[in-house]
Amino acid sequence: MPGIDVAVGVVWDKSGRILIARRKDDAHQGGLWEFPGGKFEPSENDAQALDRELFEELNIKTKSSRPLIKINYNYPDLKVRLYVREVHEYEGVPIGKEGQPLLWVTLRELDSYKFPEANKPILKAIKLGRQYAIVGGNNVREVLQKLESVVSQGVDLVQIRVKGLSKSDTKLILEAVRLRCSELELSYLLNSQIPVKKPLHEGLHLTALDLMNLKKRPESSGVVAASCHNLQELKKAEQLALDFAVLSPVMQTSSHPEAKPLGWQQFEEWVAQVNIPVFALGGIKKQDFEKAAGSGAQGISGISLFKYPPK
């Protein structure tokens, strides 16, 4: 089966919209919508290929871009590897130089357009953001303070993980969390070990043990993710069509000093073998973001990664 490498650009405008283009009817996957880009030329890396393609297709010059996700996908007649990068800064006004229709769409509007199957992980990655905070606490006040704090640090996706509390205390915290997350427009996932019934519309974060005990994706209309510590667990998350995974520990951690860190090379090798977004967790600092993105990570995740107010 023939294979090609393709550079793909998720181009944002200043109002938070994303540029999509319609494929020509006589092209491979014709008539579907896509993110702009094209095939590598000899000796190009993904950033160089994307810069050239965006100028040739859209008449814009990229000032900078950063990795988002890499995807391997086999069509019946073609094997493709997509190198997807985000573009926030560029010169010029995008036009369809090849006659292709262009649209600026919001994140919510993306679901109204049909994309090639290979693009589905891109759609998930775009919606997730780049930071995933893990928030816990012993009482309502503490948890809500932490939610306020992570939002002030630019986080829009959190996992709620409260441990060792009574069912009544847990229920009280979750009632407050649901209300405050709605007010803050903050997306949240409930850890699967929280001892309460989890509504189908809410996000769910599976522990590695719960992940490996499943035979199919949980029945949920919300986002479903999982904690992973090895390639087998990552592949299980992909097999169940989860929305993303968290892989840890990348670096040495004080909370789990006995756990052997993966290191960035191992992290990158494993992430390259699955087609779902993966956050880096474990001993991560804010300044590690570029390293994480360059290693294939969706972004960075953690507890101590984010600064919280004193108790």
Side-chain angles (χ1 to χ4, degrees):
M1 183 187 301
I4 58 171
D5 290 335
V6 178
V8 178
V10 178
V11 181
W12 297 80
D13 71 4
K14 295 190 181 300
S15 62
R17 297 179 303 173
I18 299 165
L19 187 66
I20 60 175
R22 188 177 179 275
R23 295 181 64 83
K24 295 180 180 179
D25 291 333
D26 59 353
H28 184 266
Q29 299 288 300
L32 301 182
W33 290 86
E34 66 176 357
F35 303 99
K39 291 182 279 188
F40 285 37
E41 288 189 353
S43 76
E44 285 184 328
N45 61 32
D46 56 332
Q48 293 167 338
L50 182 61
D51 290 350
R52 176 184 50 76
E53 285 288 343
L54 292 184
F55 181 70
E56 292 176 358
E57 290 187 13
L58 305 176
N59 203 42
I60 61 174
K61 291 185 177 181
T62 304
K63 289 185 177 180
S64 64
S65 65
R66 65 187 183 192
L68 178 62
I69 191 171
K70 295 177 184 177
I71 302 164
N72 294 290
Y73 194 86
N74 295 337
Y75 289 103
D77 56 341
L78 186 66
K79 181 178 181 180
V80 298
R81 182 163 176 78
L82 306 180
Y83 294 76
V84 187
R85 301 181 68 89
E86 284 189 303
V87 178
H88 287 273
E89 296 185 0
Y90 55 88
E91 295 178 352
V93 178
I95 59 172
K97 290 176 67 176
E98 299 173 353
Q100 71 275 34
L102 303 178
L103 283 177
W104 287 104
V105 297
T106 65
L107 286 176
R108 290 184 178 181
E109 291 170 341
L110 277 173
D111 292 334
S112 301
Y113 298 89
K114 190 172 182 180
F115 290 80
E117 283 294 318
N119 280 203
K120 288 188 175 180
I122 304 176
L123 297 170
K124 290 182 178 180
I126 291 171
K127 297 172 184 177
L128 286 175
R130 295 291 199 155
Q131 299 183 101
Y132 182 41
I134 301 170
V135 172
N138 295 316
N139 54 62
V140 170
R141 178 176 174 272
E142 184 181 349
V143 173
L144 293 187
Q145 281 185 330
K146 289 182 177 180
L147 289 179
E148 300 275 357
S149 180
V150 296
V151 168
S152 72
Q153 296 171 67
V155 175
D156 52 19
L157 181 68
V158 300
Q159 176 194 160
I160 306 300
R161 190 176 71 179
V162 289
K163 294 181 176 182
L165 303 179
S166 67
K167 286 189 176 181
S168 59
D169 285 344
T170 300
K171 183 178 179 181
L172 192 64
I173 288 174
L174 292 185
E175 287 175 351
V177 162
R178 287 164 174 142
L179 176 60
R180 193 65 186 121
C181 284
S182 175
E183 293 169 346
L184 294 170
E185 297 185 348
L186 180 62
S187 298
Y188 66 93
L189 287 73
L190 301 182
N191 186 278
S192 60
Q193 294 292 291
I194 295 177
V196 297
K197 184 176 180 181
K198 300 168 183 64
L200 293 180
H201 68 277
E202 289 189 316
L204 177 66
H205 186 105
L206 301 165
T207 64
L209 179 61
D210 287 343
L211 166 70
M212 298 308 288
N213 285 333
L214 288 174
K215 293 185 178 179
K216 63 178 182 178
R217 178 186 166 106
E219 293 183 1
S220 172
S221 59
V223 172
V224 181
S227 293
C228 299
H229 310 290
N230 54 51
L231 183 57
Q232 180 186 12
E233 291 169 354
L234 275 179
K235 286 188 173 291
K236 183 65 179 286
E238 180 186 35
Q239 175 194 341
L240 296 181
L242 301 192
D243 296 291
F244 70 93
V246 174
L247 179 58
S248 69
V250 181
M251 310 296 285
Q252 192 74 47
T253 67
S254 57
S255 59
H256 297 86
E258 76 288 351
K260 182 181 178 181
L262 301 173
W264 288 113
Q265 182 176 347
Q266 184 70 84
F267 179 92
E268 183 173 1
E269 289 175 3
W270 285 353
V271 170
Q273 296 181 55
V274 295
N275 290 332
I276 61 172
V278 180
F279 285 87
L281 171 68
I284 302 296
K285 298 179 174 60
K286 288 285 184 77
Q287 57 264 35
D288 292 325
F289 173 77
E290 293 300 334
K291 180 64 177 178
S295 300
Q298 168 73 23
I300 53 178
S301 178
I303 302 172
S304 57
L305 171 66
F306 303 98
K307 296 179 180 179
Y308 297 116
K311 293 183 180 180

Short mmCIF file of all heavy atoms in Angstrom, two decimals, residues 32 64 98 104 106 126 163 211 222 297 300:
data_model
loop_
_atom_site.label_atom_id
_atom_site.label_comp_id
_atom_site.label_asym_id
_atom_site.label_seq_id
_atom_site.Cartn_x
_atom_site.Cartn_y
_atom_site.Cartn_z
N LEU A 32 -15.28 16.29 1.15
CA LEU A 32 -15.24 16.44 2.60
C LEU A 32 -14.47 17.70 2.98
O LEU A 32 -13.72 18.26 2.18
CB LEU A 32 -14.58 15.22 3.24
CG LEU A 32 -15.25 13.87 2.96
CD1 LEU A 32 -14.51 12.75 3.68
CD2 LEU A 32 -16.72 13.89 3.38
N SER A 64 4.94 31.40 13.12
CA SER A 64 5.33 30.33 14.02
C SER A 64 4.23 29.27 14.05
O SER A 64 3.07 29.56 13.73
CB SER A 64 5.58 30.85 15.44
OG SER A 64 4.38 31.37 15.99
N GLU A 98 -6.34 27.79 -4.82
CA GLU A 98 -6.62 26.68 -5.74
C GLU A 98 -8.12 26.54 -6.00
O GLU A 98 -8.58 25.52 -6.50
CB GLU A 98 -6.04 25.39 -5.17
CG GLU A 98 -4.53 25.45 -4.98
CD GLU A 98 -3.97 24.22 -4.26
OE1 GLU A 98 -4.79 23.39 -3.79
OE2 GLU A 98 -2.74 24.09 -4.18
N TRP A 104 -14.39 29.99 8.11
CA TRP A 104 -13.94 30.16 9.49
C TRP A 104 -15.05 29.65 10.39
O TRP A 104 -16.19 30.10 10.30
CB TRP A 104 -13.66 31.62 9.81
CG TRP A 104 -12.43 32.18 9.18
CD1 TRP A 104 -12.35 33.01 8.11
CD2 TRP A 104 -11.08 31.96 9.62
NE1 TRP A 104 -11.03 33.32 7.83
CE2 TRP A 104 -10.23 32.69 8.75
CE3 TRP A 104 -10.49 31.22 10.65
CZ2 TRP A 104 -8.84 32.70 8.88
CZ3 TRP A 104 -9.11 31.22 10.79
CH2 TRP A 104 -8.30 31.96 9.92
N THR A 106 -16.31 28.12 14.48
CA THR A 106 -16.03 28.02 15.91
C THR A 106 -15.85 26.54 16.27
O THR A 106 -16.17 25.64 15.49
CB THR A 106 -17.17 28.60 16.74
OG1 THR A 106 -18.35 27.80 16.53
CG2 THR A 106 -17.45 30.05 16.34
N ILE A 126 -8.10 19.41 19.06
CA ILE A 126 -8.40 20.84 19.02
C ILE A 126 -9.26 21.26 20.21
O ILE A 126 -9.05 22.31 20.82
CB ILE A 126 -9.13 21.20 17.71
CG1 ILE A 126 -8.19 21.06 16.51
CG2 ILE A 126 -9.68 22.62 17.77
CD1 ILE A 126 -8.90 21.19 15.19
N LYS A 163 -10.52 11.94 47.30
CA LYS A 163 -10.29 10.62 47.87
C LYS A 163 -10.54 10.61 49.37
O LYS A 163 -10.38 11.62 50.06
CB LYS A 163 -8.83 10.20 47.63
CG LYS A 163 -8.45 9.98 46.18
CD LYS A 163 -6.99 9.53 46.11
CE LYS A 163 -6.55 9.20 44.71
NZ LYS A 163 -5.14 8.73 44.67
N LEU A 211 -9.73 1.03 33.32
CA LEU A 211 -9.55 0.96 31.86
C LEU A 211 -9.35 -0.47 31.40
O LEU A 211 -10.01 -0.95 30.47
CB LEU A 211 -8.35 1.81 31.45
CG LEU A 211 -7.81 1.61 30.03
CD1 LEU A 211 -8.80 2.15 29.00
CD2 LEU A 211 -6.45 2.28 29.87
N GLY A 222 -20.36 12.34 27.47
CA GLY A 222 -19.31 13.25 27.85
C GLY A 222 -17.95 12.75 27.40
O GLY A 222 -17.82 11.66 26.82
N ALA A 297 3.10 15.18 22.77
CA ALA A 297 2.05 15.33 23.77
C ALA A 297 1.00 16.34 23.34
O ALA A 297 1.31 17.35 22.71
CB ALA A 297 2.65 15.77 25.11
N ILE A 300 0.27 19.26 28.90
CA ILE A 300 0.81 18.86 30.18
C ILE A 300 -0.29 18.77 31.23
O ILE A 300 -1.28 19.48 31.17
CB ILE A 300 1.91 19.83 30.64
CG1 ILE A 300 1.42 21.28 30.61
CG2 ILE A 300 3.14 19.69 29.75
CD1 ILE A 300 2.44 22.30 31.10
#
